[in-house]
């Protein structure tokens, strides 16, 4: 076990509240079980909060002690322990989002646990209701993933690349999404799409590369940048939930136009990702 101390504010209760909406994530008494692949080997890590928002601290344990350092590095990136929130909070309380940031103080941008799965999840979630999206994602993981104890770990692209479109269709995915998921998995297996290398690319380079692939549009790219790579200045202006949050926050009598969304984004740069996150949280 390793003790991790994080700079405040950091509200782990809000992390658990958000992740609890995902049926694939196991949360018990302020402890989250995180399935990871380290050197392509599946393992489970446990993150338990033992502090408060003002004095955040965590105990981390994993079932593979020899991978401890890699696990800590991965969890630090996933749970936003490596980037203090205080400066970002101070930035926003001087803007027109002051009340939203005070109400949700200490909410970190938590990443998906696996980069490949993040991209697959974004594709599954395209243009469908969140409850349906979670149900389809759960079927996908149960079918193509691996079970470790009572937790499912996410599929590897090799397994999905060898599947037929019909196997994906059997999960109630559309024909197009079945094709996208299998075909993109094959690109990864063939080395034509290298997700891990995207950590070192700019937002523009990632966007250009992903948009060239059939089945990936701007919404998917923006969510991948946000929840896969953790980029700080992404604003999915076409997201209906984000538009609704802005409409409610600023008491507009209409859904904001793309031009208005652009103007809001400019107000909140260079941390537009956090503006989006806190606005989403404000309507959940």
């Amino acid at each position: 076990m390793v003790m991790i101390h994080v700079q405040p504010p950091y509200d782990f209760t809000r992390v658990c509240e958000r992740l609890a909406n995902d049926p694939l994530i196991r949360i018990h008494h302020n402890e989250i079980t995180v399935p990871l692949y380290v050197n392509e080997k599946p393992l489970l890590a446990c993150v338990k909060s033992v502090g408060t928002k003002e004095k955040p601290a965590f105990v981390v344990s994993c079932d593979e002690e020899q991978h401890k350092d890699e696990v800590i590095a991965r969890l630090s990136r996933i749970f936003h322990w490596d980037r203090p929130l205080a400066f970002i909070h101070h930035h926003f309380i001087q803007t027109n989002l002051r009340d939203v940031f005070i109400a949700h103080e200490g909410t970190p941008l938590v990443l998906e646990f696996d980069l490949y799965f993040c991209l697959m999840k974004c594709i599954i979630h395209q243009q469908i209701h969140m409850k349906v999206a979670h149900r389809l994602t759960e079927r996908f993981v149960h079918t193509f993933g691996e079970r470790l104890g009572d937790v499912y770990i996410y599929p590897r692209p090799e397994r999905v690349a060898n599947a037929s479109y019909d196997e994906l269709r059997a999960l109630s995915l559309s024909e197009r999404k079945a094709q996208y998921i299998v075909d993109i998995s094959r690109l990864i297996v063939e080395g034509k799409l290298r997700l891990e290398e995207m950590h070192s690319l700019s937002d523009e380079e990632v966007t250009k590369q992903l948009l060239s692939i059939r089945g990936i549009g701007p919404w998917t790219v923006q969510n991948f940048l946000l929840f896969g790579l953790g980029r700080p200045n992404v604003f999915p202006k076409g997201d209906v939930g984000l538009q609704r949050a802005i409409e409610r926050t600023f008491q507009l009598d209409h859904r904001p136009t793309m031009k208005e969304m652009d103007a809001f984004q400019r107000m909140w740069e260079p941390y537009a990702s956090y503006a989006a996150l806190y606005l989403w949280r404000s309507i959940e």
Side-chain angles (χ1 to χ4, degrees), residues 57-264:
F58 303 90
V59 171
V60 175
S61 57
C62 66
D63 51 12
E64 298 285 346
E65 184 66 21
Q66 67 270 31
H67 297 305
K68 178 183 67 177
D69 291 343
E70 172 65 16
V71 168
I72 295 298
R74 294 272 296 279
L75 292 176
S76 294
R77 187 167 64 246
I78 288 169
F79 286 100
H80 209 298
W81 297 339
D82 57 346
R83 291 155 289 161
L85 283 167
F87 182 81
I88 294 166
H89 180 76
H90 178 72
H91 170 82
F92 276 102
I93 62 172
Q94 300 176 75
T95 72
N96 54 1
L97 284 181
R98 172 186 173 85
D99 291 346
V100 173
F101 271 76
I102 290 175
H104 298 271
E105 181 186 23
T107 301
L109 177 61
V110 176
L111 306 186
E112 294 290 344
F113 301 158
D114 180 83
L115 207 53
Y116 164 71
F117 178 68
C118 177
L119 184 56
M120 296 298 101
K121 183 176 177 179
C122 288
I123 292 169
I124 293 171
H125 283 226
Q126 290 172 354
Q127 298 180 324
I128 56 176
H129 191 276
M130 186 61 72
K131 287 185 179 180
V132 177
H134 280 314
R135 186 163 65 246
L136 294 178
T137 306
E138 188 175 26
R139 290 176 188 169
F140 174 70
V141 172
H142 287 181
T143 302
F144 296 104
E146 180 179 343
R147 188 165 185 170
L148 295 180
D150 59 350
V151 176
Y152 276 90
I153 194 163
Y154 310 115
R156 292 290 78 197
E158 292 78 9
R159 170 71 179 90
V160 181
N162 287 321
S164 67
Y165 298 150
D166 287 343
E167 286 181 85
L168 274 295
R169 287 283 292 115
L171 307 180
S172 298
L173 288 164
S174 69
E175 178 68 30
R176 285 187 177 182
K177 285 188 181 179
Q179 293 174 7
Y180 299 158
I181 288 169
V182 173
D183 292 350
I184 293 170
S185 298
R186 289 172 180 169
L187 289 177
I188 293 170
V189 171
E190 293 165 2
K192 297 176 182 177
L193 177 60
R194 301 178 184 274
L195 297 181
E196 291 299 327
E197 292 181 2
M198 290 184 175
H199 285 293
S200 62
L201 301 181
S202 68
D203 292 359
E204 293 73 21
E205 289 169 329
V206 172
T207 299
K208 181 178 179 181
Q209 190 173 145
L210 289 180
L211 285 180
S212 69
I213 298 171
R214 179 173 175 263
I216 298 179
W219 183 89
T220 297
V221 173
Q222 290 163 344
N223 276 274
F224 181 78
L225 286 167
L226 261 169
F227 299 112
L229 299 176
R231 299 299 170 86
N233 196 35
V234 180
F235 197 69
K237 61 183 181 180
D239 185 90
V240 174
L242 183 55
Q243 294 171 6
R244 191 169 67 250
I246 288 175
E247 180 182 358
R248 181 180 299 180
T249 298
F250 297 101
Q251 299 180 330
L252 304 179
D253 59 3
H254 62 281
R255 190 65 54 85
T257 65
M258 287 299 101
K259 185 177 180 180
E260 289 172 323
M261 293 293 283
D262 286 335
F264 280 119

Side-chain angles (χ1 to χ4, degrees), residues 1-4 12 26 28 30-36 38 42-50 57-76 79 81:
M1 293 191 298
V2 178
M3 178 73 79
I4 305 291
F12 194 66
R26 193 182 75 180
H28 184 68
N30 254 14
E31 180 176 283
I32 299 176
T33 302
V34 183
L36 296 171
V38 176
L43 58 84
L44 298 178
C46 291
V47 174
K48 182 176 179 61
S49 174
V50 293
F58 303 90
V59 171
V60 175
S61 57
C62 66
D63 51 12
E64 298 285 346
E65 184 66 21
Q66 67 270 31
H67 297 305
K68 178 183 67 177
D69 291 343
E70 172 65 16
V71 168
I72 295 298
R74 294 272 296 279
L75 292 176
S76 294
F79 286 100
W81 297 339

